[in-house]
Coordinates of all heavy atoms in Angstrom, one line a residue:
V1365 N -4.8 -15.0 9.8 CA -3.4 -14.9 9.9 C -2.9 -13.6 10.5 O -2.0 -13.7 11.4 CB -2.8 -15.1 8.4 CG1 -1.3 -14.8 8.4 CG2 -3.1 -16.5 7.9
A1366 N -3.5 -12.5 10.1 CA -3.1 -11.2 10.6 C -3.3 -11.1 12.1 O -2.5 -10.6 12.9 CB -3.7 -10.1 9.9
M1367 N -4.5 -11.5 12.6 CA -4.9 -11.3 14.0 C -4.1 -12.2 14.9 O -3.6 -11.8 15.9 CB -6.4 -11.6 14.2 CG -7.2 -10.5 13.6 SD -9.0 -10.8 13.7 CE -9.2 -10.4 15.5
I1368 N -3.9 -13.5 14.5 CA -3.1 -14.4 15.3 C -1.6 -13.9 15.3 O -1.0 -13.9 16.4 CB -3.2 -15.8 14.7 CG1 -4.6 -16.4 14.9 CG2 -2.1 -16.7 15.4 CD1 -4.9 -17.7 14.2
A1369 N -1.1 -13.5 14.2 CA 0.3 -13.0 14.2 C 0.4 -11.7 15.1 O 1.4 -11.6 15.9 CB 0.7 -12.6 12.7
L1370 N -0.5 -10.8 14.9 CA -0.5 -9.6 15.8 C -0.6 -9.9 17.3 O 0.2 -9.4 18.1 CB -1.6 -8.6 15.4 CG -1.4 -7.9 14.1 CD1 -2.7 -7.1 13.8 CD2 -0.3 -6.9 14.2
G1371 N -1.4 -10.9 17.6 CA -1.6 -11.3 19.0 C -0.3 -11.9 19.6 O 0.1 -11.5 20.7
F1372 N 0.3 -12.7 18.8 CA 1.5 -13.4 19.3 C 2.7 -12.4 19.3 O 3.5 -12.3 20.2 CB 1.9 -14.6 18.5 CG 1.0 -15.8 19.0 CD1 0.1 -16.4 18.2 CD2 1.2 -16.3 20.3 CE1 -0.7 -17.5 18.6 CE2 0.5 -17.4 20.7 CZ -0.5 -18.0 19.9
L1373 N 2.9 -11.7 18.2 CA 4.1 -10.8 18.0 C 4.0 -9.6 18.9 O 5.0 -9.3 19.6 CB 4.2 -10.4 16.6 CG 4.6 -11.5 15.6 CD1 4.6 -11.0 14.2 CD2 5.9 -12.2 15.9
L1374 N 2.8 -8.9 18.9 CA 2.7 -7.7 19.8 C 2.4 -8.1 21.2 O 2.7 -7.2 22.1 CB 1.6 -6.8 19.2 CG 1.8 -6.3 17.8 CD1 0.6 -5.5 17.4 CD2 3.1 -5.5 17.7
G1375 N 1.9 -9.3 21.5 CA 1.6 -9.6 22.9 C 2.7 -10.3 23.6 O 2.6 -10.7 24.8
R1376 N 3.9 -10.4 23.0 CA 5.0 -11.1 23.7 C 5.4 -10.4 25.0 O 5.7 -11.0 25.9 CB 6.2 -11.1 22.7 CG 6.1 -12.1 21.6 CD 7.4 -12.2 20.9 NE 7.7 -10.9 20.4 CZ 8.4 -10.7 19.3 NH1 8.9 -11.7 18.6 NH2 8.6 -9.5 18.9

Side-chain angles (χ1 to χ4, degrees):
V1365 170
M1367 291 177 75
I1368 291 169
L1370 287 169
F1372 280 113
L1373 295 174
L1374 299 178
R1376 286 186 302 207

